[in-house]
Amino acid sequence: MAAARSNRSHENVANTISYVQCDGLAAMKMVKHCHEESMSNMEVAQGALLGLVVDSVLEITNCFPFSNNEDNVDEDDYQVTMMRRLRRVNVDYFHVGWYQSADVGNFLSLPMLESQYHYQTSIEESVVMIYDTQKSARGFLTLKAYRLTPQAIQMYKEENFTPEALRALKISYENLFTEVPLVIKNSPLTNIMMMELTELVPEEDGTHFLDLGTAGVLENHLRCLMDRVDELNQEAMKFNKHLQQVNRQEQERHRVLTKHAQENAARIAKGETPIPEEDVNKMFRPISVPPRLNPMIVSGQINTYAQHISQFCSQSLAKLYMTQALQGAKESK
C-alpha cells in the first residue's frame, strides 16, 4: 500500500512538471564549468541547480559547481554555505536538482543513477541536466533534462536487482529515465545583445562545421563501443557461470535426494525411522544471483554509442554529398 502511494506521488510530480525553463545565465554557467573541467583535467563536471516551481514549470534561475575533492571541504557544508550566501544577495536559493557533463551523450552510469535517486526522493521535483561537451564543441548544442521513472525509483527502494525483480517491474535501460522538455529563456536585453553579437561574427567562422575529417571522432566512438561490448560480454560470462553452478547444484541435489529416498526405503523395510528431507535440503544453500543492474546500464551505454555512430555517419554522408555537389558545380564553370 505504501509503495503504491509512493508510486502515485512520483507520477503526480512527473505529470505536474510540464517542462523545465532555464535562464540563459544559468545555462552559460553550466556550459562554462563543463568545458573548463573537460579541458583541464578531463573529469566529469557537476554542480547544483537553483530555482523554484511555478505552476507546472520548473524554473532554473542559477547554479554553482560542486567543490573539488582536492579542496578538502565537506560537500554538504559547502552547498549550504553557497545557498546561504546567494540568499543574502536576493538570488533564488531553492535546490531543484543538479547538472553533469557527458562525453558523446553517454551519461548513464551507476553513480549517476544513485545520485538522482537520492535527489528525487528528497526533492520530488528535482531534475538532472546533462550537457554534452563533445557534441556541443562540434556545433550541436546538447543540453537536456531528465528524471527517474517511477519503476526506477521503486527498483532502488527495493534494492533488488535480480532478473526476476527487474522483470516484475518491467524495467530496462530504455525506461530508467524520462526526458523533460527544456526551454532556455533570455531577457529582451539579452536577446538584443545576442543579435548584435551575431552580426559581429565573421561568416568564415562557421565553415569548420563542414569539416570532412571524421576519422578521429568515429574512431573514438568505436573504441568506446568496443570497451562497453567487452564489459557486457564479461557480465554475460558471469551470469552463464552462475547458471552452470545452479544446474550443477540441482543435479547434485537430485542425486542426493534419490540416494536419500533409497536409504529411507531400506530403513522403512527394516522398521527404522526414516531420515527427514530437511536435513538434505540444508546441505544445499541457494547460490546468490549476480545483480543485473550493471549489465542493464552497460546495455544502455552500448545503445547510446550505436545511436551516435549512426547519427554521425548520416551527417558525414550528407557533408560528402554536399561537398561533391559543390565541387561538381565549381568544375562545370
Side-chain angles (χ1 to χ4, degrees), residues 53-272:
V53 179
V54 180
D55 296 331
S56 62
V57 180
L58 176 62
E59 295 186 2
I60 298 175
T61 57
N62 211 331
C63 65
F64 62 87
F66 291 152
S67 63
N68 295 327
N69 296 330
E70 51 194 38
D71 294 340
N72 294 326
V73 179
D74 184 73
E75 185 63 39
D76 294 334
D77 294 340
Y78 170 78
Q79 294 186 33
V80 171
T81 303
M82 285 292 296
M83 288 187 287
R84 187 183 297 117
R85 291 175 179 175
L86 290 171
R87 182 181 181 181
R88 290 175 182 173
V89 294
N90 199 24
V91 175
D92 291 331
Y93 59 92
F94 295 108
H95 210 158
V96 294
W98 61 297
Y99 69 88
Q100 175 179 305
S101 63
D103 184 14
V104 201
N106 202 355
F107 61 90
L108 191 60
S109 63
L110 188 59
M112 190 261 188
L113 283 171
E114 293 176 351
S115 298
Q116 181 58 20
Y117 168 73
H118 292 303
Y119 267 94
Q120 209 160 317
T121 50
S122 58
I123 310 171
E124 290 185 339
E125 64 273 7
S126 64
V127 298
V128 54
M129 294 188 65
I130 304 297
Y131 176 74
D132 194 329
T133 55
Q134 295 295 326
K135 289 190 68 176
S136 298
R138 297 190 64 83
F140 303 96
L141 178 61
T142 306
L143 184 62
K144 298 182 179 181
Y146 294 94
R147 285 175 52 84
L148 282 177
T149 59
Q151 298 96 319
I153 294 176
Q154 186 64 27
M155 176 188 68
Y156 264 98
K157 279 186 177 180
E158 296 176 356
E159 295 184 352
N160 187 3
F161 307 119
T162 60
E164 293 76 13
L166 299 181
R167 193 182 305 113
L169 290 172
K170 298 180 180 180
I171 189 170
S172 66
Y173 63 85
E174 296 176 342
N175 56 358
L176 280 174
F177 283 95
T178 177
E179 183 177 351
V180 184
L182 175 65
V183 176
I184 297 180
K185 181 182 178 181
N186 293 317
S187 65
L189 291 176
T190 304
N191 291 330
I192 295 173
M193 184 189 69
M194 291 177 64
M195 291 296 296
E196 293 180 352
L197 291 175
T198 304
E199 296 176 355
L200 297 176
V201 176
E203 296 181 359
E204 293 78 11
D205 287 358
T207 57
H208 66 278
F209 294 129
L210 293 175
D211 181 21
L212 299 179
T214 60
V217 179
L218 190 59
E219 180 182 357
N220 184 27
H221 281 48
L222 290 175
R223 286 186 181 276
C224 294
L225 181 62
M226 290 169 59
D227 292 340
R228 298 287 81 77
V229 170
D230 183 63
E231 186 175 352
L232 184 61
N233 182 49
Q234 296 294 329
E235 293 290 343
M237 292 174 61
K238 290 180 183 178
F239 191 70
N240 289 336
K241 185 178 179 181
H242 163 73
L243 293 179
Q244 292 175 2
Q245 291 177 349
V246 171
N247 291 334
R248 195 179 300 114
Q249 186 187 65
E250 189 63 26
Q251 292 174 1
E252 182 67 17
R253 182 173 177 273
H254 179 72
R255 186 187 66 80
V256 173
L257 286 176
T258 303
K259 182 179 178 181
H260 177 263
Q262 294 175 355
E263 291 178 354
N264 278 345
R267 292 174 67 91
I268 293 173
K270 294 179 182 179
E272 299 177 357

Side-chain angles (χ1 to χ4, degrees), residues 15-34:
N15 295 331
T16 302
I17 300 176
S18 57
Y19 65 93
V20 176
Q21 178 179 294
C22 181
D23 283 2
L25 176 62
M28 291 302 296
K29 283 184 176 181
M30 284 185 276
V31 170
K32 182 175 181 292
H33 178 219
C34 293

